[in-house]
Amino acid sequence: MPGVIVDCAIYRDGRRAECATDFSRALEEARAKGDAFLWLGMYEPTEREFDLVSSEFGLHPLAVEDALKAHQRPKLEVYDDSLFMVLKPVTYDDAAATVTASEVMVFLGEAFVVTVRHGEASPLAAVRRRLEEHREILRHGPGAVLYAVCDAVVDHYIDVASELQLDLEELEAEVFAPVRRDTKNTAAEIYAFKREVLEFRRATGPLAAPMTLLQNPGVPYVHDHARPFFRDVDDHLTRANESVEGLDRLLSDILAAHLAQMGVRQNDDMRKISAWAALAAVPTLIAGIYGMNFDDMPELKWHLGYPAILLVMVVIEVSLYRLFKRRGWL
């Protein structure tokens, strides 16, 4: 399975050794050494490709089903002979303003770690390189791998939250800019941004319960000395969740302010239309009265009647214009 297996190695005392293609023999070798473990990394395996791995490592069928189907919420499941955790790394495309979530499944057992990746947003390669550079962490066994994966995923949450915050500040400046913009596009941008924040929240929110569970004693394959490290990861996750909640609240406030601005602008437009309609109604009314075909009407025989009526129209129009202008209707 060369396209499915990303990497496979046995780690003993923090040092890497290539594993055999026979997973059963590699796992027996790691267990025989006592202080070693096998780390197998896979990318989007099919059911047939994963059958060999699940049978050799004795993985629970429910966890295997979740790992193959993907589209899971972040969670932690404890089985008799393994620990199964789902994480959702995210990436943010600044140009397209989209949040993309992928999935990482981690199987933890006696002397083995199996990671299954779905999607492109994954920190596993960088995590493996960093751990191999810090052998003192790898010496702590499979639990150290789980901690390193969680730490990398959650730390990237904070980076993505910072990028979203910057883009949100730009959107906020556009909404409150003095120059009038296309309100339809602005509302669409706010809704689209809110959808991306919701996608981000689906990745960060459900992870809080598993991180709390990893801090408690009695979790299999996670040593007690690892609890402070998971507590540190949980602190970072709390920061990320608070940032996401703040982004969501601010987006709701911006949307409400934008809708209020639209209402104010519509009122201003209606006042301007009403003012111009009033200016047009005065000469129309006067001209309509003197356009009626009656003989006995005042000023019909007066030779200054026409300029006098025009002067009256001009005076009334100027007076109304100054009144509307002073009140801000024009």
Side-chain angles (χ1 to χ4, degrees):
M1 297 181 291
V4 176
I5 297 178
V6 180
D7 201 349
C8 180
I10 296 176
Y11 295 93
R12 182 182 184 187
D13 195 29
R15 298 182 183 274
R16 177 188 175 104
E18 299 301 326
C19 69
T21 56
D22 186 350
F23 301 134
S24 179
R25 189 175 65 184
L27 184 58
E28 290 178 1
E29 180 183 351
R31 287 173 174 171
K33 294 178 179 178
D35 57 349
F37 68 94
L38 172 66
W39 183 359
L40 174 65
M42 306 185 71
Y43 175 69
E44 296 186 355
T46 63
E47 182 176 356
R48 180 181 177 184
E49 293 167 336
F50 202 62
D51 280 344
L52 176 60
V53 176
S54 61
S55 61
E56 294 292 346
F57 288 86
L59 304 179
H60 197 280
L62 293 178
V64 171
E65 182 181 357
D66 290 342
L68 291 174
K69 289 185 176 180
H71 303 292
Q72 304 293 322
R73 287 166 55 90
K75 62 180 181 178
L76 177 66
E77 300 286 350
V78 179
Y79 299 103
D80 294 335
D81 52 358
S82 64
L83 194 70
F84 177 65
M85 187 168 187
V86 179
L87 300 104
K88 295 180 75 70
V90 297
T91 56
Y92 181 60
D93 186 351
D94 190 35
T98 56
V99 174
T100 304
S102 59
E103 293 184 39
V104 171
M105 286 77 170
V106 183
F107 293 90
L108 214 67
E110 183 183 354
F112 74 85
V113 178
V114 178
T115 55
V116 180
R117 176 166 62 92
H118 292 269
E120 298 300 327
S122 174
L124 294 184
V127 169
R128 190 185 287 261
R129 288 194 302 268
R130 187 165 60 251
L131 284 175
E132 290 176 355
E133 293 173 358
H134 298 82
R135 294 196 299 268
E136 67 277 3
I137 300 178
L138 273 175
R139 291 192 184 100
H140 296 292
V145 176
L146 180 61
Y147 155 72
V149 173
C150 294
D151 185 56
V153 170
V154 172
D155 282 348
H156 194 60
Y157 286 163
I158 297 176
D159 297 336
V160 172
S162 299
E163 295 177 4
L164 287 171
Q165 182 66 41
L166 292 176
D167 285 354
L168 182 58
E169 290 175 358
E170 294 178 2
L171 181 60
E172 184 181 17
E174 292 178 4
V175 170
F176 294 101
V179 180
R180 188 169 181 174
R181 299 177 66 249
D182 187 354
T183 55
K184 184 181 297 185
N185 289 340
T186 301
E189 289 179 13
I190 296 174
Y191 276 114
F193 204 102
K194 197 172 182 65
R195 193 181 308 113
E196 301 306 320
V197 172
L198 178 61
E199 180 70 18
F200 191 20
R201 170 175 277 180
R202 290 196 186 105
T204 63
L207 189 57
M211 294 310 305
T212 301
L213 183 60
L214 286 171
Q215 301 174 51
N216 298 330
V219 178
Y221 311 111
V222 177
H223 295 292
D224 291 341
H225 62 74
R227 290 204 303 270
F229 296 95
F230 285 107
R231 189 177 303 118
D232 179 69
V233 176
D234 186 52
D235 290 340
H236 293 177
L237 180 62
T238 301
R239 287 175 51 195
N241 280 324
E242 290 175 351
S243 298
V244 173
E245 292 176 2
L247 290 171
D248 188 60
R249 287 196 300 268
L250 187 56
L251 273 170
S252 299
D253 294 341
I254 291 175
L255 180 59
H258 173 66
L259 295 177
Q261 282 184 332
M262 290 180 61
V264 172
R265 289 172 180 173
Q266 288 176 351
N267 290 335
D268 290 341
D269 293 340
M270 289 302 299
R271 286 190 298 181
K272 290 179 181 180
I273 293 172
S274 300
W276 286 113
L279 291 174
V282 172
T284 302
L285 175 64
I286 297 176
I289 293 175
Y290 281 92
M292 293 186 294
N293 297 321
F294 292 105
D295 293 334
D296 298 329
M297 293 182 67
E299 294 88 27
L300 287 180
K301 305 300 182 181
W302 184 33
H303 66 283
L304 295 179
Y306 179 70
I309 292 300
L310 291 180
L311 179 62
V312 170
M313 291 182 182
V314 170
V315 171
I316 294 176
E317 289 292 289
V318 171
S319 300
L320 287 175
Y321 180 83
R322 294 181 63 183
L323 176 64
F324 293 148
K325 194 73 174 178
R326 186 167 58 251
R327 293 186 176 182
W329 286 35
L330 292 174

